[in-house]
Structures are given as structure tokens and as C-alpha cells.
Amino acid sequence: MNHQPTPQTGKEKNPNLKKISGIKMESIGVLMTCPMHKYLEQQLETHFNLFKLWHCNSSITEFLKTHQGNTIRAVVGDTNIGADAELIASFPNLEIVASYSVGLDKIDLRKCEEKGIRVANTPDVLTDDVADLAIGLILGVLRRICASDEYVRIGKWKDADFGLATKFSGKSVGIVGLGRIGTAIAKRAEAFGCSISYFSRSQKPFANYKFYSNIIDLATSCQILIVACALTEETRHIINREVIDALGPKGILINIGRGAHVDETELVSALLEGRLGGAGLDVYENEPEVPEELLGLGNVVLQPHVGSDTVETSDAMADLVISNLKAHFSNKPLLTPVI
Amino acid sequence: MDCNGYRQENHDQNLFPKPKVLVLEPPPVFIYHEDKLSQKFHFLKAWDSPLPLDQFLTTHAHSVQAILSHGSCPVTTNTIRLLPSLGLIVTTSAGLDQIDLQECRRRGVSVAYAGSLFSADVADIAVGLLIDALRKISAGNRYVTQGLWANNGDFSLGSKLGGRKVGIVGLGSIGLEVGKRLEPFGCNILYCSRNKKSSVSYPYYSNVCELAANCEVLIICCELNDQTRHVINKEVLLALGKKGLIINVGRGAIIDEQEMVRCLMQGEIAGAGLDVFENEPHVPSELISLDNVVLSPHRAVHTEETLMALVDLVIGNLEAFFSNKPLLSPVLLDE
């Protein structure tokens, strides 16, 4: 690539486009890294020349045995397989990575910036669903909705009373990362009469919640700790043994961020030893593997990474991916650019 | 009415240091906090006796002035008539359908209940059941714990809550708390109630069927009485429609349970979250096999915090009665 990109504007001219003007979009090679959403797959097939990496055992090396690397001008990745350095290096004509996610931890952003590759994601359309799930997990854990549903299904209600749960309304909620999703969670929890505090890189001037510059102080002060920040080098294992101990035996941890935010080994031992009151998890360090010790614990609710998995939001995310790709290849501004 | 006279006479003749309170069946608050309650009152435990209830009452409870009851424990006309000294029924429930209120009115028996103590907890569970039913949280939890995520791949998609029209049936204390909680989720709240509430701006519907036709979620928050028994019937369920969900935190008998089961089995409605059933603890077996239903064993108020508050309220009401002071949470019987 021999042009100087201006990140974030989407307005720089791509000399490659000039060379190939007149070529229809349907011939543009787009690589989808894994099965994400049938509707997205269909749309990509309709509008572009779609290649599916999982048909080559999800291996770039294998893909390159039967395909020319320079046919791929766009990659659609997700939270499983994004665009790492190896992938980027394998496709010399790669112009844009459109992620079917808001999280960017699976994309080598530095490499993209270096090579002038555009990056787009799917913010906002999934904020509500992820925030809803966070509240659903809190209620599932504290009010033991999932455990008592199981209790009824196996016929135990006839034998005995299920026992007591913990009230949610009025409890103290601590949010790690007060971005779009963190803010949406805060607004919901407020309606339950909860007090809200947060830890973030910097204090948010327009947020009317108590700010802690230290995550241990946040964990000490709240009963429900929710991870809602982006995964970066700084936030990897941000929830460690010290934070878990500060949260304590009556505390519960909700993770709707990334598995790697939490030291999973420490989390498991804290739950088994009763040093942590409970957990609601949608993400894990090595999906779809879930630590065996967590299965069947009455104070833990486990979800198979479904934060944005509603019909409505999946379609909206897919539409956004398609719109970003179309915009790029028509030399128009990206709708939701990252780089 | 002569109840004040009765009360004074019995108090003077009372040979026991602690006032006697009759318990027909133990409420949850009794199971968890009997010690605290027994410090203040002497309980006559009808369920513990080998005698049939009528005989127990005439033999042991003839002079009893107060009953401690709970939501699923009927206090019948017959029971009240066998207790000539009865002056107070304290129920640990917010619901009153299990008590013969007409007989209480006739006899001048006061009734104290849980008031709005439970409203937050019930509203919390209503929202919890709704999110669970839409987003398949319990089903997803089963998917993971049964090892299906690793073997079978991604779980199926749920449905978005935001933007949905939610119809609240009964906008009392609980209904209002439910509406308040659902607003920041982006739900549009509608309601149906005995009377329109001038203090809320939610659109009002005078009948449940019309409400159901205009919303995608129905949340039952009303009390069970003659007007509301089976008010959720086939017509209402069909009006709610194939994408509709029903959440019940009221009483099982508000819904025609058999009809609801049929609608769920045939896809006439999309799902349900139920804390109450017509014949607890019996749950229709068809529901057990459904993934789009969340089942809760009537525990909308079973939190440690609320049960603690409830003990204090029960003690407070009984103490007020026995010292001739106003009840803390009386039911207004003269309607």
C-alpha cells in the first residue's frame, strides 16, 4: 500500500480503488473468519464474494493453499477470531476489518494502523442487550432464579421450601468501566434503588456517580461488581485475588466483558472456598471451555457468551457490518469507524 | 362492635406471661425466625396437633384473640366462627384472598398484612423472570452446565427487551415498582387497573383483553379476587399473541392455567415466567419440559432482608394489638 492514511476521517483517497473502478462490489473478496450469524453470512454472500475460513479448518495456512491471498480485501471477524498479525500479513490487499462485535481485543489495531487498514465495529446497537443481560445475571444470582427453576424442574418443590435469597433493590453496585455499556447498566440499576459507583481510566465529568481511582476501593465499597470495560493490556486480569477478596463473601461478580478480565483460577477457588458470594458470567478465558468446578454451583449463573445474542440485535449488528463495508468500497465515510 | 370489651376482659384474665397467638400452618417467617417470635408470644400450633382443626380450636384455642396466618393458609368462615374471642388476624402476605374478609368485617376482626413491604422484592423478581424468559438465562445456564456449549456450538438467540410494550395488570404498589424498573430498559409501559391512576402518565386500558392486544408482555401484579379469578383467559392469551410473554407474580388463579399451558404448547404465546400456580406446589408437567418458561416456587418475597423486616412487622402488629394501640399495617375492611 503506498498511500498515507488519515485515521478516523474515512476521507482519504485509496489509490487502489482508482485502479479497480468499474469492478462490481460482488467481486470483492471478503473473508468471514467463523460462523457468526446466518443472516450476516447471507448478506455477505449477496453483496460480496464471500470466503469462509472455517471451510479451511479455520487455518490461514490451509486457506492460502487453495486461494490467492491477494483476493481478500476485507475481513469480517468476531470475538472468537478477529484479525491478528498473521492474518493481516497473509492478505496484502486487505483494506478493512469489519468486526461483528464492539470489542476489539481480537484485532491487532497497531498493525492495522501501520498498514493503513480501516477498522469498524458494532457499538451502540448492542449496548441495551448487554446491559439487560448484566441485570438478568445479577437477579439470577442474587434471587437464585436459575437455581430455583432447576429445583422446580426436578420436582423438589413438593418436598421442601427452597430457602432464602438475597434482595437486589437498594444494594450497592460498582461498575468497572463507565463506557456506553457501563452507563446503560448504571441507569438500570438506579431504577432498583441501587447506589452506583465506578472505576474508570479517568473520572467522567457528566456521570453523577461516585468515582474510585482504585479498583480495590471500588470492590471494598460495593456488593455487586460488574466488569464492563474493554479488554486491553492494562485490564487483563484486572479482577485478581486482591479484588475478589475485597469484594468478599457477600459480594458477587458479574462479567459481561471478556474472560481475560478475570483471573479465572482465582475466581474458581474464591467461589469454592466461600471467599466470594457468587458470580454471573457470560465470558470465560478459553471459550467455550468453562471451569468444571463452576458447573452446578447454586450461587453461579453461566451464560454461553450471549451478551448481544438476540434476533433483533444480531440483525442490527449484521446490517452495520454490511453498511460499513459498502461505505468503504464506495469511498464513503464509515458509519462506525475505529481506525 | 364489642371487640374492645372482649380484648380488655381477656387481657385481665390472661394467666400466661406472653399473649397467645394461634398458628394454623407455619408461615416462612415462622420457620426462619421462630425464636425471635417466641420470645414475645406463646404460639398455639394447630398443625402440630393430632386433633382435626375444628376440635383443636374448640379444645385449645377457645380464648385466643389473634391468628398468625400466611398467603397460602386459608382462614375460613368456619375457623373464625370457632374463635369467639378473635380480634386480629395477622397475615405475612400482601395478598388477602385466603382470608374470609366478609366474616372479619361482620365480626369486627381486624386484619394486618404485609402492606407494601414486599413490593420491591416482588417487582425485582418480575423483572428477573422477564429478562430470563426473553434472554433464556436459565435455559442458557442449563446449556453450559450440561456441557452443550463445547459440543454443540452457539446457543440459540433470545429476544430483545428494549422497545417492547409491557402491559402491567394491576398498578398498585407492586405494579408501580415494576413500571419504574422497566423504564430505563427502554420498555413502553401500559397498564390496566380497577381505576385510572392520575399520577402516572402510562397509557391506561380499562380491560385486560385490550391491554393484551396492545402489548407484547403482560405482567400480572394484581390481587386475586372474584373479578380477577381467571381474568387471563384464552381470549386474553390469544390477544397477547405469538410473540407475547406472560409473567405472573400475583396469584396462580388469576390465569386460566390449563389454557395458558395449551397456548404455550401450541406456540400461541412465546413464553412465560411464573412465580405462582393454581395448585401449588403442583406445577403442570407440560411446563417442566419447556425451555421458554421460567419456573419459580412462589418465592417472590423470600429474601433474607425482607423476611427480617417482616418479623419486625409481625411483632409490631401483634404488640400493637395486645396493647390496644393502632396496628402498623392494617387492612382497610370498610370498602
Side-chain angles (χ1 to χ4, degrees), chain A residues 61-77:
Chain A
T61 320
E62 240 186 83
F63 179 82
L64 292 172
K65 286 183 186 156
T66 45
H67 302 84
Q68 295 281 15
N70 58 14
T71 46
I72 301 299
R73 294 173 60 194
V75 164
V76 174

Side-chain angles (χ1 to χ4, degrees), chain A residues 129 143 153 165 169 171 303, chain B residues 135 137 181 288 293 300 305:
Chain A
D129 271 358
R143 295 299 302 269
R153 278 173 201 273
S169 278
K171 290 294 161 66
Q303 295 289 277
Chain B
R135 297 296 300 273
I137 296 181
R181 279 154 179 71
I288 308 287
V293 173
E305 296 86 337

